[in-house]
Amino acid sequence: MTLTQIGKEKPARIINMELVTPVVRRRLLDMGIMEGTLVQLKRSLPFGGPCMIEAGGQWVGIRRSDADKIRVERV
Amino acid sequence: MTATFALIGNPNTGKTSLFNELTGSYEYVGNWVGVTVEKKVGVLKDKSAQLVDLPGVYSLSPLSEDEGVATRFLLEEEYQGILNIVDASQLERNLYLTVQLLEYGKPLIIGLNMLDVAKSRGMEIDLSRLTTGLQVPIYPVIARKGTGCDQLSLALTQLKDKQEPLVLDYGKVLEEAIQQIGEKWTGKGLRWLALQFFEGNKMVREYLEAHIDPAFLQELYGETEKLVKAETGETSLPHWIRRVRSQWIKELCQEAVIHSAKKAVPFSEKIDHLVTHPLLGVPVFLLFMFLVFKMTFDWVGSPLSDILDGIITGPITTGLQWVLQAVGTSQFMQDLVLKGIVAGVGGVLVFVPQIFILFFFISLLEDSGYMARVAIVMDRVMEFFGLNGKAFIPMIIGFGCNVPGVMAARTIEQPGERLLTIILTPLMSCSARLSVYSLFVGAFFARNQAMVVFSLYFLGIGVALILARILSPFMNKGRASVFLVELPPYRFPKWLSLFRHTWEKGKGFVRKAGTYIFGGSVLIWLMSTTGPAGFQVRMTESYLAIIGGFISPLFSPLGFGTWQAGAALLTGFLAKEVVVSTMNILYMSGDMASLQGILVHAFTPLQAYSLMVFILLYIPCLATIAVIKKESGSAKWTWISIGISLVTAYLLTLVLYQVGLLLGIGT
């Protein structure tokens, strides 16, 4: 299951993000968002626009295509 | 030599606020990732030491251009210690950088900011336990209010000379690999360098490659990664290093932080509901910008400018005239001062109120945290044009002045997108061009001032985006577009810092009036009164008329083939406001109102609009060209940027004017 599939406001744990664009993955890692981190999809913009995710109280905006590649599990 | 300390921390932790409090200087404070695009130095209030403000970074392994500044500083500069600002409400993330700094082993002190925010999120931090765990002094501060800064400043000067580097256990494989580098590396800081190398720090890798065979390093990296992956099950070597550090931080935080259940719904979330609304997001932003223009032109700015104009052309001019006559200066000097300098410089200073109002709103946009939301709202549109949402920020900053706009492009991670943003930001209509519009819209479009100016700003963005769409395939060369933006919580800006911020930006405009425009006015006036026949010639026989007349046929098809327009465009290359100064001198008008009266007879509304469009696009000003050269690091791209502007401006204005003529609009 991916972060976009699980839906908004549903707590999820990241299990794999190897397919995410390398630069984005590195930056998420910098922010402490990696395998094992609890995240939530908060909002997404129309026409395949970016989405806002929240982890540990911090908010980040990433492209939908990257969020699609973050594999998560329900908690 | 006084001691030097480096101020380092994550983006959006109040670092620049702290810098200002400690040094008492008016630094630029913004709530936008990457406001500090260059290393800035200040002196502590008690004059005991220097403080260097480094760009915000999450880790020491640089990803974008501005982040490299911090790592390069640590590696190459002379300094005595580090002041690490830590955001208590994002403690675990912030400590990740702290751990890397502790591993480096320079004397370090922590300023713990935003304890109040942490508390409101239900976090209680035990300072003594945190101090014991990190083994460095920690001082709580509220950087925005300045609380605790005196104690921190004092502690900084009493910082000890030596600090033992922090040593974490990275497992047998990695420890052995570090030893292998140690056999080839005789310099200082082996462990830190080796760990940064294995973490994928490109800058450290280059640093090591200057001394150690790159092939050896490459092989060692591959070998180590393979072994670590097999042993730990991690996906990569950097992930393993991250894991070890994060684990250590987590254990520390379990001891030092108590989480209570209390959790308020953050205020930010409520605002985000509106401003990043799927349907309302873009309209809300456009409405905001439109209101800004209404304030700048119709409601507040223009009335103030009129008052200022009255003062400059009234009491100031008569006063100066009286003084000049009283001390018995020659007619030549009187003309130089009154018809040259007062007309030229005064004509530009009149627009100070409007420009300060515009800068005030740009500051508000930055300080409040709304800027990052604009980036996210605009990303989908920008993606279509081959850029990303972050490129929109340099463009908005470019509305104020193109120079900081071009510099702000440093936060863009992907090199092709960054270069494209640098080249296109000068098409954004800056405040200097605004003085030209003010003059013309006042004369020709008095009833729709804000609307006409808004159309020019829109045109600048539109042209930039279309060019981006055309150019991006050549610049990105298949590299994927990248977008990621941190969304800081909204903060209600402090009035004082908002005013300082506005002043910091606006003072450049005033300074320019005293330098470039002063010099330019004298030069233009001299050239307009001298000619091949000698001094005091008729203006139509002056050197300026000859030069302006020489290039003016070029502009005839665009609707402004007069020698005055030609001369104004030539001198406008210095700075766009000089266009106004030149016209004021050339049309020998006393004040703005009478210049407008003259212009109405010299141009038709269509010609006036064509001229405004041409001035919007035709060339970046001198200062902008210098910064494009510096930021792109390439003369070729600087010339391309200039060429694109000239060609686009000419073709677009040509089409606009000829179509306007055919349809008979505004003729």
Side-chain angles (χ1 to χ4, degrees):
Chain A
M1 191 161 30
T2 69
L3 190 57
T4 40
Q5 282 166 350
I6 199 167
K8 279 177 206 163
E9 308 280 345
K10 301 260 171 39
R13 189 190 310 279
I14 299 177
I15 47 178
N16 187 304
M17 44 196 291
E18 273 180 83
L19 296 174
V20 176
T21 318
V23 177
V24 174
R25 186 171 165 220
R26 220 323 282 289
R27 185 43 42 92
L28 288 173
L29 193 64
D30 281 345
M31 298 176 163
I33 300 174
M34 58 197 287
E35 282 83 356
T37 311
L38 288 176
V39 290
Q40 258 187 52
L41 181 68
K42 282 293 189 178
R43 314 180 60 80
S44 51
L45 282 107
F47 311 113
C51 43
M52 293 157 79
I53 61 173
E54 185 261 348
Q58 71 182 330
W59 290 57
V60 190
I62 57 172
R63 288 234 166 106
R64 179 88 47 101
S65 55
D66 285 315
D68 279 338
K69 289 169 191 144
I70 299 180
R71 300 193 62 80
V72 294
E73 61 184 8
R74 259 196 202 102
V75 243
Chain B
M1 179 60 208
T2 48
T4 304
F5 295 96
L7 175 60
I8 187 165
N10 280 196
N12 282 303
T13 49
K15 195 166 54 62
T16 309
S17 295
L18 183 66
F19 181 82
N20 286 353
E21 283 297 337
L22 289 175
T23 59
S25 73
Y26 292 178
E27 261 325 308
Y28 196 76
V29 193
N31 191 12
W32 159 252
V33 183
V35 159
T36 314
V37 282
E38 258 188 341
K39 160 182 123 183
K40 286 175 186 156
V41 185
V43 176
L44 289 186
K45 277 176 179 166
D46 64 0
K47 311 260 184 280
S48 60
Q50 282 189 334
L51 193 63
V52 180
D53 185 19
L54 295 171
V57 289
Y58 297 104
S59 88
L60 293 175
S61 185
L63 200 55
S64 66
E65 203 65 30
D66 59 325
E67 295 177 350
V69 175
T71 309
R72 194 169 296 128
F73 182 90
L74 293 183
L75 277 175
E76 292 169 3
E77 304 273 331
E78 274 293 318
Y79 60 100
Q80 280 65 49
I82 298 168
L83 170 55
N84 178 209
I85 181 165
V86 168
D87 174 357
S89 68
Q90 292 291 343
L91 191 61
E92 287 192 28
R93 185 193 83 197
N94 277 254
L95 286 179
Y96 190 74
L97 177 65
T98 309
V99 166
Q100 293 182 63
L101 294 171
L102 288 171
E103 286 182 331
Y104 191 65
K106 268 274 178 184
L108 183 126
I109 188 169
I110 289 177
L112 190 60
N113 197 16
M114 302 200 200
L115 276 166
D116 46 344
V117 181
K119 209 170 217 165
S120 73
R121 288 202 185 143
M123 287 166 73
E124 202 68 57
I125 295 169
D126 184 335
L127 281 183
S128 63
R129 286 202 177 168
L130 200 59
T131 309
T132 318
L134 294 172
Q135 292 289 312
V136 289
I138 299 175
Y139 286 81
V141 289
I142 303 175
R144 268 159 60 83
K145 293 180 189 155
T147 319
C149 290
D150 291 341
Q151 290 93 314
L152 180 64
S153 184
L154 189 67
L156 196 58
T157 54
Q158 294 165 352
L159 199 59
K160 55 187 177 180
D161 300 335
K162 271 216 164 79
Q163 168 92 30
E164 276 302 308
L166 175 72
V167 178
L168 302 182
D169 181 8
Y170 288 94
K172 198 163 143 271
V173 179
L174 201 52
E175 297 293 338
E176 275 171 10
I178 295 170
Q179 288 314 314
Q180 269 184 280
I181 291 185
E183 284 162 23
K184 308 245 177 191
W185 174 258
T186 47
K188 282 194 292 189
L190 163 72
R191 189 181 172 82
W192 183 84
L193 285 169
L195 281 169
Q196 288 291 323
F197 164 69
F198 286 122
E199 204 193 350
N201 187 331
K202 284 196 211 101
M203 201 168 274
V204 166
R205 187 187 195 120
E206 280 164 24
Y207 187 76
L208 284 177
E209 277 174 352
H211 306 272
I212 303 174
D213 179 17
F216 165 80
L217 288 173
Q218 179 72 29
E219 199 187 327
L220 180 65
Y221 191 97
E223 198 60 34
T224 313
E225 178 153 59
K226 212 167 72 188
L227 289 172
V228 165
K229 274 161 92 169
E231 199 178 275
T232 63
E234 277 295 341
T235 50
S236 75
L237 191 47
H239 269 79
W240 169 245
I241 293 174
R242 175 101 210 177
R243 180 76 65 199
V244 172
R245 289 178 185 154
S246 300
Q247 195 57 41
W248 187 80
I249 293 166
K250 198 165 262 172
E251 282 165 19
L252 175 66
C253 288
Q254 268 164 7
E255 275 186 30
V257 184
I258 304 145
H259 287 271
S260 66
K262 182 181 93 180
K263 229 182 178 181
V265 174
F267 167 67
S268 286
E269 221 163 307
K270 288 182 197 158
I271 303 182
D272 275 338
H273 233 74
L274 176 68
V275 301
T276 63
H277 189 277
L279 294 174
L280 297 177
V282 176
V284 164
F285 171 64
L286 290 178
L287 183 70
F288 177 83
M289 289 312 283
F290 185 70
L291 287 179
V292 169
F293 288 114
K294 272 290 197 195
M295 291 287 263
T296 312
F297 292 95
D298 291 357
W299 295 336
V300 189
S302 291
L304 285 175
S305 287
D306 289 344
I307 295 171
L308 196 61
D309 190 32
I311 295 172
I312 290 176
T313 53
I316 291 182
T317 307
T318 6
L320 267 173
Q321 197 167 11
W322 185 82
V323 170
L324 288 169
Q325 281 168 357
V327 297
T329 47
S330 65
Q331 185 62 36
F332 175 79
M333 274 307 287
Q334 282 185 37
D335 283 352
L336 173 66
V337 172
L338 297 173
K339 292 183 183 164
I341 296 168
V342 173
V345 177
V348 166
L349 280 182
V350 165
F351 300 105
V352 163
Q354 296 180 342
I355 281 156
F356 271 78
I357 290 169
L358 185 68
F359 278 136
F360 176 83
F361 285 106
I362 291 178
S363 306
L364 184 69
L365 211 59
E366 287 178 354
D367 288 5
S368 64
Y370 182 42
M371 200 75 116
R373 274 73 180 183
V374 174
I376 203 166
V377 167
M378 296 308 291
D379 180 64
R380 187 65 195 86
V381 179
M382 299 296 274
E383 190 185 8
F384 174 79
F385 290 105
L387 289 168
N388 72 63
K390 267 180 160 172
F392 207 68
I393 281 105
M395 295 189 173
I396 295 177
I397 294 174
F399 285 161
C401 173
N402 291 169
V403 172
V406 168
M407 284 166 65
R410 288 190 194 177
T411 56
I412 296 168
E413 285 93 352
Q414 213 254 65
E417 289 181 340
R418 175 166 176 254
L419 190 56
L420 199 51
T421 311
I422 289 174
I423 289 175
L424 298 177
T425 297
L427 296 173
M428 295 304 112
S429 183
C430 67
S431 58
R433 279 167 253 195
L434 197 136
S435 57
V436 182
Y437 308 153
S438 294
L439 179 67
F440 280 88
V441 294
F444 294 92
F445 310 101
R447 268 180 299 167
N448 303 312
Q449 296 204 13
M451 225 25 235
V452 169
V453 176
F454 199 59
S455 77
L456 287 162
Y457 277 76
F458 221 80
L459 186 71
I461 298 181
V463 168
L465 291 183
I466 292 167
L467 287 173
R469 174 84 194 190
I470 297 167
L471 294 173
S472 68
F474 303 101
M475 324 218 17
N476 292 331
K477 296 185 189 109
R479 281 175 296 204
S481 169
V482 167
F483 175 69
L484 182 143
V485 65
E486 190 188 356
L487 302 162
Y490 288 100
R491 285 166 200 149
F492 195 78
K494 252 181 28 176
W495 287 109
L496 189 62
S497 97
L498 204 55
F499 286 129
R500 275 180 181 176
H501 202 161
T502 308
W503 169 243
E504 278 298 307
K505 289 176 174 157
K507 74 175 182 195
F509 183 83
V510 179
R511 194 188 296 135
K512 236 183 348 177
T515 52
Y516 277 101
I517 295 165
F518 183 89
S521 298
V522 172
L523 191 74
I524 293 159
W525 186 79
L526 283 175
M527 284 180 69
S528 71
T529 52
T530 56
F535 287 103
Q536 310 265 335
V537 296
R538 287 230 305 274
M539 199 174 270
T540 46
E541 284 153 15
S542 68
Y543 284 122
L544 202 59
I546 294 167
I547 300 169
F550 182 71
I551 60 162
S552 66
L554 267 177
F555 302 120
S556 289
L558 311 187
F560 38 88
T562 65
W563 70 265
Q564 288 95 336
L569 288 171
L570 265 187
T571 51
F573 165 68
L574 274 180
K576 299 289 164 81
E577 310 93 312
V578 177
V579 171
V580 176
S581 308
T582 310
M583 292 202 159
N584 235 339
I585 295 169
L586 296 188
Y587 287 110
M588 288 182 288
S589 54
D591 54 70
M592 190 163 79
S594 52
L595 176 58
Q596 286 173 340
I598 296 166
L599 287 174
V600 172
H601 296 293
F603 297 99
T604 65
L606 176 64
Q607 288 170 336
Y609 195 77
S610 300
L611 184 56
M612 285 195 288
V613 169
F614 192 75
I615 287 170
L616 161 69
L617 303 170
Y618 81 112
I619 201 166
C621 73
L622 199 59
T624 308
I625 289 174
V627 81
I628 295 175
K629 170 90 200 324
K630 188 166 160 252
E631 292 296 306
S632 67
S634 133
K636 185 183 107 189
W637 284 108
T638 313
W639 282 109
I640 289 177
S641 178
I642 296 170
I644 288 173
S645 299
L646 274 172
V647 172
T648 315
Y650 196 87
L651 293 179
L652 195 74
T653 316
L654 182 69
V655 170
L656 187 99
Y657 182 64
Q658 295 300 334
V659 170
L661 275 185
L662 274 178
L663 300 177
I665 303 167
T667 46

